[in-house]
Amino acid sequence: HSLRVGSLLFYYGYDYETQIAGILHDILEDSDVTEWLIAEKFGQNIASIVKANSKNNSLTKSEILEDIVKRCHEYGKFALIVKMADVYDNFRFYVRAENESEIERCKFLANLIIQYREITWNDDIFNLANLIVNYQKGDFFDFHIPTIEVNTQI
């Protein structure tokens, strides 16, 4: 999932820092890696984007999703772009898996992204939020992302 998020950000032409933040966006939740270590290895900007995209487990489950989107908005456009790539990749997976509850969670997050996005943040990646929000079960869904092939020959 994390590599697909980074690849999506590459596909949309984002810079190295945004791509790395996309790859690392779940690392604080899924490992013992600290924000300090991310900052030391990749810089404070990447560490801050990753932190903005991480759950605050001191909140209730119903508060966590809006808190993440709000913190991404507060940190800035690139944190919200990483969250958009994360939500889109999750959405693609759950549509294929036909997991209705997770599709609804993705729709909820996409709607929050639409609400929190600054009007001047016109990046094409934000159009994915509208695709997610408007999706209905049974709709044909074109995922808009080409297959990325990796050449493993040395």
Side-chain angles (χ1 to χ4, degrees):
H1 162 71
S2 293
L3 291 176
R4 288 190 308 269
V5 170
S7 295
L8 179 63
L9 295 165
F10 171 81
Y11 173 78
Y12 273 91
Y14 288 105
D15 65 6
Y16 166 83
E17 284 194 343
T18 306
Q19 292 171 45
I20 294 299
I23 291 168
L24 297 176
H25 77 278
D26 279 338
I27 200 163
L28 294 175
E29 297 171 12
D30 296 345
S31 74
D32 292 332
V33 170
T34 63
E35 180 184 359
W36 177 86
L37 183 60
I38 296 169
E40 182 173 289
K41 299 292 183 186
F42 299 101
Q44 187 57 53
N45 186 46
I46 290 173
S48 295
I49 291 172
V50 171
K51 183 173 183 179
N53 274 274
S54 299
K55 293 176 187 168
N56 178 348
N57 289 320
S58 70
L59 299 175
T60 66
K61 192 170 184 173
S62 63
E63 296 172 316
I64 287 174
L65 298 180
E66 185 161 4
D67 177 67
I68 291 172
V69 175
K70 181 181 178 194
R71 284 186 291 111
C72 286
H73 169 262
E74 289 170 354
Y75 186 72
K77 178 171 95 167
F78 293 102
L80 198 59
I81 285 168
V82 168
K83 179 49 63 187
M84 182 69 257
D86 173 34
V87 171
Y88 185 70
D89 185 69
N90 284 328
F91 178 73
R92 291 173 63 196
F93 176 82
Y94 293 125
V95 166
R96 288 185 176 123
E98 299 180 2
N99 185 326
E100 293 302 317
S101 64
E102 289 299 321
I103 290 169
E104 289 305 313
R105 186 182 66 81
C106 291
K107 289 173 91 169
F108 180 77
L109 280 163
N111 196 37
L112 287 172
I113 289 169
I114 291 167
Q115 290 174 30
Y116 277 92
R117 179 183 65 97
E118 297 287 333
I119 194 120
T120 57
W121 297 352
N122 296 321
D123 298 62
D124 287 342
I125 198 166
F126 289 121
N127 294 331
L128 298 175
N130 292 318
L131 291 173
I132 294 168
V133 168
N134 293 319
Y135 175 80
Q136 298 295 317
K137 185 177 180 177
D139 285 354
F140 171 76
F141 192 78
D142 178 4
F143 290 106
H144 303 285
I145 305 300
T147 301
I148 299 171
E149 294 184 22
V150 178
N151 184 350
T152 57
Q153 294 179 351
I154 296 178

mmCIF file of all heavy atoms in Angstrom, residues 3 5 15 22 25 28 39 55 59 64-65 68 89 99-100 106 111 115 127 130 139-140 143-144 147 151-152:
data_model
loop_
_atom_site.group_PDB
_atom_site.id
_atom_site.type_symbol
_atom_site.label_atom_id
_atom_site.label_comp_id
_atom_site.label_asym_id
_atom_site.label_seq_id
_atom_site.Cartn_x
_atom_site.Cartn_y
_atom_site.Cartn_z
ATOM 1 N N LEU A 3 3.963 1.754 -0.928
ATOM 2 C CA LEU A 3 4.676 1.958 -2.195
ATOM 3 C C LEU A 3 3.730 2.431 -3.291
ATOM 4 O O LEU A 3 4.107 3.261 -4.129
ATOM 5 C CB LEU A 3 5.390 0.676 -2.624
ATOM 6 C CG LEU A 3 6.572 0.269 -1.754
ATOM 7 C CD1 LEU A 3 7.133 -1.073 -2.210
ATOM 8 C CD2 LEU A 3 7.652 1.335 -1.754
ATOM 9 N N VAL A 5 1.087 4.296 -2.797
ATOM 10 C CA VAL A 5 0.838 5.712 -2.500
ATOM 11 C C VAL A 5 1.981 6.557 -3.044
ATOM 12 O O VAL A 5 1.757 7.566 -3.720
ATOM 13 C CB VAL A 5 0.628 5.923 -0.980
ATOM 14 C CG1 VAL A 5 0.617 7.411 -0.626
ATOM 15 C CG2 VAL A 5 -0.672 5.262 -0.531
ATOM 16 N N ASP A 15 7.134 16.152 -6.029
ATOM 17 C CA ASP A 15 8.566 16.134 -5.763
ATOM 18 C C ASP A 15 8.959 14.962 -4.856
ATOM 19 O O ASP A 15 8.118 14.260 -4.302
ATOM 20 C CB ASP A 15 9.020 17.463 -5.156
ATOM 21 C CG ASP A 15 8.417 17.747 -3.786
ATOM 22 O OD1 ASP A 15 7.729 16.879 -3.221
ATOM 23 O OD2 ASP A 15 8.647 18.861 -3.273
ATOM 24 N N GLY A 22 4.769 10.034 1.188
ATOM 25 C CA GLY A 22 3.720 9.084 0.831
ATOM 26 C C GLY A 22 4.117 7.651 1.153
ATOM 27 O O GLY A 22 3.312 6.872 1.671
ATOM 28 N N HIS A 25 4.000 7.264 4.987
ATOM 29 C CA HIS A 25 2.841 7.848 5.681
ATOM 30 C C HIS A 25 2.273 6.985 6.811
ATOM 31 O O HIS A 25 1.687 7.513 7.741
ATOM 32 C CB HIS A 25 1.739 8.217 4.682
ATOM 33 C CG HIS A 25 0.942 7.060 4.194
ATOM 34 N ND1 HIS A 25 1.372 6.247 3.167
ATOM 35 C CD2 HIS A 25 -0.243 6.565 4.613
ATOM 36 C CE1 HIS A 25 0.471 5.305 2.962
ATOM 37 N NE2 HIS A 25 -0.528 5.468 3.823
ATOM 38 N N LEU A 28 4.659 5.554 11.316
ATOM 39 C CA LEU A 28 4.540 5.837 12.751
ATOM 40 C C LEU A 28 3.494 4.946 13.407
ATOM 41 O O LEU A 28 3.638 4.579 14.578
ATOM 42 C CB LEU A 28 4.195 7.312 12.994
ATOM 43 C CG LEU A 28 5.274 8.317 12.593
ATOM 44 C CD1 LEU A 28 4.762 9.743 12.772
ATOM 45 C CD2 LEU A 28 6.555 8.094 13.384
ATOM 46 N N ALA A 39 12.818 12.496 10.815
ATOM 47 C CA ALA A 39 13.392 13.829 10.605
ATOM 48 C C ALA A 39 14.899 13.755 10.400
ATOM 49 O O ALA A 39 15.451 14.451 9.540
ATOM 50 C CB ALA A 39 13.058 14.736 11.796
ATOM 51 N N LYS A 55 -2.588 8.551 12.833
ATOM 52 C CA LYS A 55 -3.709 8.582 13.784
ATOM 53 C C LYS A 55 -3.251 9.072 15.140
ATOM 54 O O LYS A 55 -2.156 8.746 15.593
ATOM 55 C CB LYS A 55 -4.297 7.178 13.949
ATOM 56 C CG LYS A 55 -4.962 6.629 12.745
ATOM 57 C CD LYS A 55 -5.416 5.200 12.987
ATOM 58 C CE LYS A 55 -5.935 4.582 11.701
ATOM 59 N NZ LYS A 55 -6.107 3.138 11.830
ATOM 60 N N LEU A 59 -7.663 9.852 20.729
ATOM 61 C CA LEU A 59 -9.022 10.263 20.379
ATOM 62 C C LEU A 59 -9.926 9.049 20.229
ATOM 63 O O LEU A 59 -9.458 7.928 20.064
ATOM 64 C CB LEU A 59 -9.004 11.039 19.057
ATOM 65 C CG LEU A 59 -8.183 12.324 19.036
ATOM 66 C CD1 LEU A 59 -8.156 12.914 17.630
ATOM 67 C CD2 LEU A 59 -8.723 13.334 20.035
ATOM 68 N N ILE A 64 -11.072 10.316 15.090
ATOM 69 C CA ILE A 64 -9.751 10.131 14.472
ATOM 70 C C ILE A 64 -9.708 10.596 13.023
ATOM 71 O O ILE A 64 -8.775 11.296 12.621
ATOM 72 C CB ILE A 64 -9.287 8.663 14.607
ATOM 73 C CG1 ILE A 64 -8.891 8.375 16.053
ATOM 74 C CG2 ILE A 64 -8.136 8.349 13.655
ATOM 75 C CD1 ILE A 64 -8.563 6.926 16.345
ATOM 76 N N LEU A 65 -10.690 10.233 12.208
ATOM 77 C CA LEU A 65 -10.627 10.528 10.775
ATOM 78 C C LEU A 65 -10.619 12.027 10.505
ATOM 79 O O LEU A 65 -9.775 12.521 9.738
ATOM 80 C CB LEU A 65 -11.775 9.848 10.031
ATOM 81 C CG LEU A 65 -11.785 8.319 10.091
ATOM 82 C CD1 LEU A 65 -12.966 7.771 9.312
ATOM 83 C CD2 LEU A 65 -10.480 7.728 9.602
ATOM 84 N N ILE A 68 -7.266 13.632 11.509
ATOM 85 C CA ILE A 68 -6.166 13.451 10.556
ATOM 86 C C ILE A 68 -6.274 14.463 9.411
ATOM 87 O O ILE A 68 -5.299 15.137 9.069
ATOM 88 C CB ILE A 68 -6.136 12.015 9.984
ATOM 89 C CG1 ILE A 68 -5.740 11.007 11.056
ATOM 90 C CG2 ILE A 68 -5.162 11.918 8.796
ATOM 91 C CD1 ILE A 68 -5.870 9.563 10.616
ATOM 92 N N ASP A 89 -5.797 5.074 -2.761
ATOM 93 C CA ASP A 89 -5.281 3.710 -2.847
ATOM 94 C C ASP A 89 -6.111 2.753 -2.008
ATOM 95 O O ASP A 89 -6.415 1.638 -2.455
ATOM 96 C CB ASP A 89 -3.807 3.643 -2.432
ATOM 97 C CG ASP A 89 -3.253 2.251 -2.648
ATOM 98 O OD1 ASP A 89 -3.112 1.846 -3.821
ATOM 99 O OD2 ASP A 89 -3.023 1.546 -1.656
ATOM 100 N N ASN A 99 -15.732 -4.354 -0.132
ATOM 101 C CA ASN A 99 -15.879 -4.113 1.297
ATOM 102 C C ASN A 99 -16.649 -2.802 1.490
ATOM 103 O O ASN A 99 -16.071 -1.713 1.497
ATOM 104 C CB ASN A 99 -14.506 -4.050 1.963
ATOM 105 C CG ASN A 99 -14.591 -3.933 3.467
ATOM 106 O OD1 ASN A 99 -15.496 -3.311 4.003
ATOM 107 N ND2 ASN A 99 -13.618 -4.514 4.140
ATOM 108 N N GLU A 100 -17.947 -2.917 1.636
ATOM 109 C CA GLU A 100 -18.828 -1.745 1.679
ATOM 110 C C GLU A 100 -18.530 -0.803 2.846
ATOM 111 O O GLU A 100 -18.567 0.420 2.680
ATOM 112 C CB GLU A 100 -20.294 -2.170 1.714
ATOM 113 C CG GLU A 100 -20.761 -2.844 0.442
ATOM 114 C CD GLU A 100 -20.604 -1.986 -0.799
ATOM 115 O OE1 GLU A 100 -20.911 -0.772 -0.744
ATOM 116 O OE2 GLU A 100 -20.155 -2.513 -1.830
ATOM 117 N N CYS A 106 -13.834 5.442 3.186
ATOM 118 C CA CYS A 106 -13.065 6.198 2.191
ATOM 119 C C CYS A 106 -13.874 7.368 1.643
ATOM 120 O O CYS A 106 -13.330 8.466 1.433
ATOM 121 C CB CYS A 106 -12.621 5.282 1.055
ATOM 122 S SG CYS A 106 -11.378 4.065 1.532
ATOM 123 N N ASN A 111 -14.759 13.128 1.372
ATOM 124 C CA ASN A 111 -15.618 14.286 1.600
ATOM 125 C C ASN A 111 -14.949 15.278 2.558
ATOM 126 O O ASN A 111 -15.032 16.494 2.356
ATOM 127 C CB ASN A 111 -16.976 13.835 2.138
ATOM 128 C CG ASN A 111 -18.007 14.926 2.014
ATOM 129 O OD1 ASN A 111 -18.024 15.674 1.047
ATOM 130 N ND2 ASN A 111 -18.874 15.018 2.995
ATOM 131 N N GLN A 115 -13.870 19.201 1.895
ATOM 132 C CA GLN A 115 -14.233 20.281 2.805
ATOM 133 C C GLN A 115 -13.022 21.075 3.288
ATOM 134 O O GLN A 115 -13.094 22.304 3.405
ATOM 135 C CB GLN A 115 -14.973 19.719 4.022
ATOM 136 C CG GLN A 115 -16.346 19.192 3.723
ATOM 137 C CD GLN A 115 -16.966 18.512 4.942
ATOM 138 O OE1 GLN A 115 -16.675 18.874 6.081
ATOM 139 N NE2 GLN A 115 -17.801 17.528 4.703
ATOM 140 N N ASN A 127 -9.085 15.886 -7.594
ATOM 141 C CA ASN A 127 -10.261 15.436 -8.352
ATOM 142 C C ASN A 127 -10.639 14.005 -7.986
ATOM 143 O O ASN A 127 -11.788 13.596 -8.171
ATOM 144 C CB ASN A 127 -10.007 15.538 -9.858
ATOM 145 C CG ASN A 127 -9.841 16.976 -10.302
ATOM 146 O OD1 ASN A 127 -10.392 17.886 -9.697
ATOM 147 N ND2 ASN A 127 -9.067 17.172 -11.350
ATOM 148 N N ASN A 130 -13.639 13.642 -5.578
ATOM 149 C CA ASN A 130 -14.981 13.665 -6.163
ATOM 150 C C ASN A 130 -15.356 12.318 -6.757
ATOM 151 O O ASN A 130 -16.506 11.890 -6.653
ATOM 152 C CB ASN A 130 -15.086 14.761 -7.223
ATOM 153 C CG ASN A 130 -15.007 16.140 -6.608
ATOM 154 O OD1 ASN A 130 -15.599 16.393 -5.568
ATOM 155 N ND2 ASN A 130 -14.270 17.023 -7.239
ATOM 156 N N ASP A 139 -21.125 0.723 -10.052
ATOM 157 C CA ASP A 139 -20.586 1.621 -11.075
ATOM 158 C C ASP A 139 -19.309 1.034 -11.639
ATOM 159 O O ASP A 139 -18.514 0.439 -10.904
ATOM 160 C CB ASP A 139 -20.236 2.996 -10.489
ATOM 161 C CG ASP A 139 -21.431 3.865 -10.199
ATOM 162 O OD1 ASP A 139 -22.556 3.463 -10.559
ATOM 163 O OD2 ASP A 139 -21.233 4.943 -9.601
ATOM 164 N N PHE A 140 -19.109 1.232 -12.938
ATOM 165 C CA PHE A 140 -17.801 0.934 -13.510
ATOM 166 C C PHE A 140 -16.859 1.991 -12.972
ATOM 167 O O PHE A 140 -17.174 3.168 -12.952
ATOM 168 C CB PHE A 140 -17.846 0.987 -15.042
ATOM 169 C CG PHE A 140 -16.469 0.900 -15.655
ATOM 170 C CD1 PHE A 140 -15.811 -0.320 -15.708
ATOM 171 C CD2 PHE A 140 -15.836 2.025 -16.140
ATOM 172 C CE1 PHE A 140 -14.534 -0.409 -16.245
ATOM 173 C CE2 PHE A 140 -14.566 1.941 -16.690
ATOM 174 C CZ PHE A 140 -13.921 0.721 -16.739
ATOM 175 N N PHE A 143 -9.804 3.383 -12.711
ATOM 176 C CA PHE A 143 -8.905 3.829 -11.656
ATOM 177 C C PHE A 143 -7.877 4.861 -12.088
ATOM 178 O O PHE A 143 -7.126 5.356 -11.278
ATOM 179 C CB PHE A 143 -8.222 2.619 -11.009
ATOM 180 C CG PHE A 143 -9.185 1.803 -10.199
ATOM 181 C CD1 PHE A 143 -9.638 0.581 -10.659
ATOM 182 C CD2 PHE A 143 -9.643 2.267 -8.996
ATOM 183 C CE1 PHE A 143 -10.523 -0.163 -9.916
ATOM 184 C CE2 PHE A 143 -10.539 1.531 -8.240
ATOM 185 C CZ PHE A 143 -10.981 0.314 -8.702
ATOM 186 N N HIS A 144 -7.818 5.221 -13.327
ATOM 187 C CA HIS A 144 -7.022 6.346 -13.819
ATOM 188 C C HIS A 144 -5.518 6.231 -13.597
ATOM 189 O O HIS A 144 -4.812 7.197 -13.794
ATOM 190 C CB HIS A 144 -7.489 7.670 -13.208
ATOM 191 C CG HIS A 144 -8.923 7.958 -13.452
ATOM 192 N ND1 HIS A 144 -9.411 8.374 -14.658
ATOM 193 C CD2 HIS A 144 -9.997 7.863 -12.640
ATOM 194 C CE1 HIS A 144 -10.711 8.535 -14.584
ATOM 195 N NE2 HIS A 144 -11.092 8.231 -13.363
ATOM 196 N N THR A 147 -0.616 0.803 -14.993
ATOM 197 C CA THR A 147 0.211 -0.177 -14.306
ATOM 198 C C THR A 147 1.656 0.278 -14.386
ATOM 199 O O THR A 147 2.141 0.671 -15.446
ATOM 200 C CB THR A 147 0.074 -1.556 -14.978
ATOM 201 O OG1 THR A 147 -1.299 -1.924 -14.933
ATOM 202 C CG2 THR A 147 0.908 -2.594 -14.277
ATOM 203 N N ASN A 151 11.481 -2.908 -14.140
ATOM 204 C CA ASN A 151 12.454 -3.723 -14.843
ATOM 205 C C ASN A 151 13.447 -4.249 -13.816
ATOM 206 O O ASN A 151 14.197 -3.493 -13.209
ATOM 207 C CB ASN A 151 13.165 -2.882 -15.901
ATOM 208 C CG ASN A 151 14.128 -3.706 -16.730
ATOM 209 O OD1 ASN A 151 14.412 -4.859 -16.407
ATOM 210 N ND2 ASN A 151 14.637 -3.121 -17.797
ATOM 211 N N THR A 152 13.460 -5.558 -13.619
ATOM 212 C CA THR A 152 14.333 -6.150 -12.604
ATOM 213 C C THR A 152 15.623 -6.716 -13.214
ATOM 214 O O THR A 152 16.408 -7.316 -12.500
ATOM 215 C CB THR A 152 13.603 -7.266 -11.838
ATOM 216 O OG1 THR A 152 13.147 -8.239 -12.771
ATOM 217 C CG2 THR A 152 12.429 -6.684 -11.057
#
